[in-house]
Amino acid sequence: MRHARSEFGRWWSAEDQTDTHIAHRLLNAQYVIWKRGRREFSEHARRNIEALKQQQKMQLQIQHRRMYQQKQQMRRGGYGGYGGYGGGASLSPITVHRTMQWGDYQIRVDQEIFEHVPISPVMLKIGREQLAARRRRTASALLLAAAAAWLLLWWLAPGAGLVVTLAALLLATAYAAVQGHRPVRRRPPVPRLKFIPAAAPGEIALDGDPEPFPLGDAGRSPREAKEALRLAVKKEGLTPEVGVPAPTDWGWRYPVTLTSGTLDDLVRRLPAVATTLRVGTNRIFAQATHADTDSSAVTVRILTTKPFADATTAPARPPLSVSITGEADLGPSIDGDGTPVILAGQHVLVVGVTGAGKSAMIRALAEYVTACTDAVAVDVDPTGVGLGPLRPAAAGGGAYTPEAAERALKRELARAEARIASLGSGVDDNWQVSPDSPAVVVFLDEYARLTPAGKEAALALLGVGRKARITLVLSTRDATRDVLGEAIADSVGVRILMPCRAADVPLVVGESTAVTQGWLPHLLKPSPGEWEPADAGKYYAITPRSSTPIVRYVPHLTPAAAAELATQRLKAGLPDIDATRAATAPAQPAAEVAPILRALRVAFAAAGDPEWLATGPLADLLADADAETWGRWDGRTDRTAMVGRTLRAELRRAGLADAIPNQRLETHPDRPTVYRLADVVAALP
């Protein structure tokens, strides 16, 4: 209670306001008065100009009327006043001159720049006294009103008065107990100047704030936590607007508005801010709140405890209870939102170092796929580990050597091409999954251990598998070009970054400034072993529905629980992928479909089935699918011409030159030579 009384006394006498507070209040008052006066002067000038224009208008009307009367007299043979010659309407030079004077005055008023009066010690003293007097009047009025209401309540309803009195005493006692254990001086924010001064106002420093203090000193007070972050960031040379934070189970979530600088500047200073606030290493995160609409809005999260401490375990879904077209939730974010992903036609890339928790993520994805009525899992791992306890539930089989992995990938690539070819005679743009024609999800681990042919098949499947609903879940410890072989890290629809190397972050996110945008998976600590989980299982994700750099967590499915689920799903029966052989077979034997026709159909499918493709982009797509045949001219200046010449020759050899002609697109500004999807589809048998 002594602390509360002391704080109230400081507020009563305005002692909680530093000289900077008072100076800013006085400067803002000067600016408001100046702005009001300028607005009045400008309005006065505008009214005078309008009056003079009205006067000019009336003068012109009078002169026009007089001229009209003179013309009428002349027609009647009378004397026109000027002999019928000369005359005419004109403005008074005095009126025109006065209008120009008022216009110049209005321009000077509008161009006037505000210059503040320097703040002197006498002005500070008067300003503080005025603020204290205003506070006393306000407090006295509120106390009198409260006392009157309290007495009236006792007079009208003594029982209610007793309850209110006891409640007030209880609240006062609770407040005293809290403050007694942690007395904190009130630190009001400095009022923001309403103008940008050319120099510091007088001898009053603009940064005369209290010293920064640790976040722990703020307790659970949002306003104290706000002030702690504001002072810590200002110490590093930034002055953003920090909003009142929201307390969470793991710490604080702040709304911040950047008044100068960029998010990049803020992120670079976060380690120093963490030191000032005395929070754990790598426990402050910042990212854009509305990156597409407002680049100044930033969300800052400060962890004071371990997040996801109460995270639930992975769900145990019954066999054949979900669909591949439904939402698979990969786990909650730090804000409590889920991570929904539709796996149908969606490639997934999981990047993380050893101990990052990749096995937990792959197991969560495989658990969902193996519970589907319309999807099967194919387990491919050249090192022989694969899906571990969920391996028996992989209805598409498994491949656990580099050679077996190559065969499995080529088999799924052929299946995808057959499915795409069968779409040519139908009305569907994509393969329609069902229990009789399930989607295929290939879980591919250790891409770097594949044979060269296996890598080519995997890359080709990434290009054509989406339409055929045969997709890859690719996990790797390294996302660089040397490991993946191609720059495919940022071309996958679902990208998951677990504790990884800093070099992987911009490659997977697809932005060179990814780290400064708040993507910080490289700061997460991998687990050294089962005895210390560290940050294993935490991740950042880019999905079609979310690209926010926020920490997430995948629920852990224990090996014993996974093995039990695999047994249950085997007993219930798994979808039969071989049942689709008849459906995926072309209308005639594959040998009767010209290779060039099949290559064109796959190229259009890889591009998303546009209405037409020019020879240049078509050459790229053909080379991606068959580099040996169509990549022979890479690097040459006549590459497009050579591919076009070879393509026409192959079409003539297959007897399809008339069915699939190359056409000049006259409606396009560049008039490119194109091939049309409708011609390719019509030529399919």
Side-chain angles (χ1 to χ4, degrees):
M1 292 302 291
R2 283 196 302 270
H3 174 74
R5 186 171 63 250
S6 173
E7 284 295 291
F8 181 75
R10 292 176 66 241
W11 180 87
W12 180 270
S13 58
E15 291 179 1
D16 61 329
Q17 301 284 303
T18 65
D19 288 347
T20 304
H21 287 78
I22 303 299
H24 280 216
R25 290 178 182 275
L26 294 175
L27 291 170
N28 285 337
Q30 290 183 25
Y31 180 74
V32 169
I33 294 173
W34 171 83
K35 195 171 183 180
R36 185 187 304 121
R38 189 181 66 166
R39 185 166 55 248
E40 292 175 355
F41 292 150
S42 181
E43 181 64 20
H44 179 62
R46 187 190 64 79
R47 286 197 301 267
N48 280 279
I49 292 173
E50 290 295 329
L52 289 170
K53 288 183 177 179
Q54 188 65 25
Q55 183 179 347
Q56 292 174 358
K57 184 177 180 181
M58 293 178 62
Q59 290 176 353
L60 287 174
Q61 290 176 350
I62 293 172
Q63 292 182 9
H64 280 299
R65 190 178 301 113
R66 187 177 298 164
M67 292 173 61
Y68 177 75
Q69 292 174 353
Q70 291 174 354
K71 290 180 180 180
Q72 292 297 322
Q73 291 178 3
M74 292 178 63
R75 289 194 185 100
R76 291 194 296 268
Y79 178 69
Y82 294 96
Y85 300 96
S90 63
L91 296 177
S92 169
I94 297 177
T95 304
V96 174
H97 179 66
R98 291 180 62 191
T99 302
M100 293 176 60
Q101 283 183 323
W102 279 110
D104 292 340
Y105 175 76
Q106 186 178 28
I107 292 174
R108 288 198 303 272
V109 170
D110 291 339
Q111 291 180 344
E112 184 180 355
I113 299 175
F114 172 69
E115 294 183 2
H116 66 272
V117 177
I119 305 299
S120 65
V122 175
M123 295 172 65
L124 285 176
K125 181 180 179 181
I126 295 174
R128 189 181 301 278
E129 291 175 351
Q130 290 176 342
L131 177 61
R134 186 165 58 251
R135 286 182 172 183
R136 292 188 188 109
R137 289 194 297 270
T138 302
S140 299
L142 291 175
L143 288 174
L144 287 174
W150 181 69
L151 292 174
L152 182 62
L153 183 62
W154 271 97
W155 182 56
L156 296 177
L162 178 61
V163 171
V164 171
T165 303
L166 292 176
L169 290 174
L170 181 62
L171 289 175
T173 304
Y175 172 76
V178 173
Q179 293 297 331
H181 288 87
R182 187 188 50 81
V184 177
R185 286 289 188 183
R186 181 174 178 270
R187 299 180 178 89
V190 176
R192 182 182 177 186
L193 288 178
K194 297 181 179 180
F195 64 97
I196 301 176
E203 298 179 356
I204 305 302
L206 294 180
D207 57 351
D209 283 325
E211 288 296 321
F213 57 95
L215 184 59
D217 290 353
R220 299 301 290 175
S221 170
R223 294 194 177 278
E224 292 295 328
K226 167 188 172 181
E227 190 70 357
L229 178 62
R230 188 186 72 83
L231 294 175
V233 173
K234 189 171 184 179
K235 180 182 177 183
E236 304 306 321
L238 298 178
T239 56
E241 294 181 1
V242 180
V244 178
T248 66
D249 295 337
W250 40 262
W252 298 94
R253 180 172 58 249
Y254 293 81
V256 175
T257 302
L258 300 175
T259 56
S260 62
T262 63
L263 177 60
D264 188 353
D265 301 327
L266 178 61
V267 170
R268 283 201 301 266
R269 290 167 171 81
L270 289 183
V273 172
T275 301
T276 301
L277 295 178
R278 296 184 186 176
V279 296
T281 306
N282 303 327
R283 287 298 182 259
I284 303 184
F285 307 94
Q287 60 270 333
T289 305
H290 309 291
D292 297 332
T293 58
D294 187 359
S295 59
S296 67
V298 175
T299 299
V300 175
R301 295 175 177 84
I302 301 181
L303 309 184
T304 56
T305 61
K306 287 188 176 182
F308 310 111
D310 300 327
T312 58
T313 57
R317 298 179 179 87
L320 305 175
S321 60
V322 293
S323 170
I324 196 68
T325 59
E327 291 183 351
D329 191 352
L330 303 185
S333 72
I334 197 173
D335 286 341
D337 303 324
T339 311
V341 172
I342 297 178
L343 295 175
Q346 200 76 253
H347 297 297
V348 181
L349 175 65
V350 182
V351 179
V353 298
T354 302
K358 294 193 302 297
S359 298
M361 178 61 70
I362 296 300
R363 193 172 294 167
L365 291 166
E367 187 279 327
Y368 185 88
V369 172
T370 56
C372 289
T373 62
D374 50 7
V376 297
V378 175
D379 190 13
V380 178
D381 184 357
T383 65
V385 178
L387 297 179
L390 280 176
R391 280 167 58 165
Y400 305 114
T401 64
E403 294 73 19
E406 176 186 336
R407 292 192 297 269
L409 290 170
K410 287 183 176 180
R411 181 185 68 242
E412 299 309 323
L413 177 60
R415 193 195 311 275
E417 292 175 345
R419 285 186 173 185
I420 292 174
S422 69
L423 293 174
S425 58
V427 296
D428 295 320
D429 292 330
N430 300 300
W431 182 262
Q432 300 301 306
V433 298
S434 68
D436 295 330
S437 56
V440 180
V441 181
V442 180
F443 289 89
L444 174 58
D445 196 6
E446 296 296 340
Y447 173 86
R449 301 288 294 274
L450 291 173
T451 63
K455 292 180 179 179
E456 291 181 6
L459 292 176
L461 193 56
L462 284 172
V464 303
R466 183 184 64 82
K467 296 182 70 65
R469 298 299 186 247
I470 300 177
T471 55
L472 284 178
V473 175
L474 193 155
S475 62
T476 179
R477 288 176 289 181
D478 191 336
T480 58
R481 182 187 297 269
D482 294 338
V483 173
L484 291 184
E486 295 287 343
I488 64 172
D490 62 344
S491 62
V492 178
V494 178
R495 285 162 272 167
I496 296 171
L497 280 160
M498 308 191 85
C500 61
R501 303 177 316 117
D504 295 330
V505 179
L507 293 174
V508 177
V509 176
E511 297 283 347
S512 60
T513 58
V515 172
T516 58
Q517 293 175 10
W519 297 93
L520 306 174
H522 59 292
L523 300 182
L524 299 174
K525 298 179 180 178
S527 170
E530 296 179 358
W531 60 90
E532 175 52 64
D535 290 326
K538 298 182 179 68
Y539 67 97
Y540 289 74
I542 297 177
T543 71
R545 296 189 181 185
S546 174
S547 58
T548 303
I550 184 173
V551 179
R552 304 173 186 271
Y553 179 76
V554 58
H556 182 60
L557 180 64
T558 64
E564 183 178 353
L565 289 176
T567 302
Q568 294 175 3
R569 290 165 187 182
L570 279 175
K571 290 181 179 179
L574 300 172
D576 186 5
I577 192 173
D578 294 327
T580 63
R581 287 179 177 174
T584 58
Q588 56 182 324
E592 298 183 13
V593 178
I596 186 61
L597 179 57
R598 184 181 297 278
L600 284 173
R601 184 66 187 92
V602 171
F604 270 93
D609 279 347
E611 181 182 352
W612 53 266
L613 279 174
T615 306
L618 186 58
D620 296 336
L621 294 166
L622 290 171
D624 290 342
D626 187 357
E628 183 178 353
T629 302
W630 301 100
R632 291 174 290 171
W633 304 281
D634 288 351
R636 291 175 47 171
T637 57
D638 61 343
R639 171 178 178 266
T640 301
M642 294 302 297
V643 170
R645 185 181 308 168
T646 305
L647 181 58
R648 291 193 296 273
E650 291 293 331
L651 289 172
R652 285 194 299 270
R653 188 177 297 110
L656 297 172
D658 295 334
I660 308 178
N662 59 344
Q663 307 171 28
R664 181 75 67 179
L665 193 63
E666 300 293 344
T667 58
H668 195 277
D670 297 333
R671 300 179 66 248
T673 300
V674 303
Y675 290 86
R676 297 187 179 275
L677 174 63
D679 296 337
V680 175
V681 172
L684 287 169

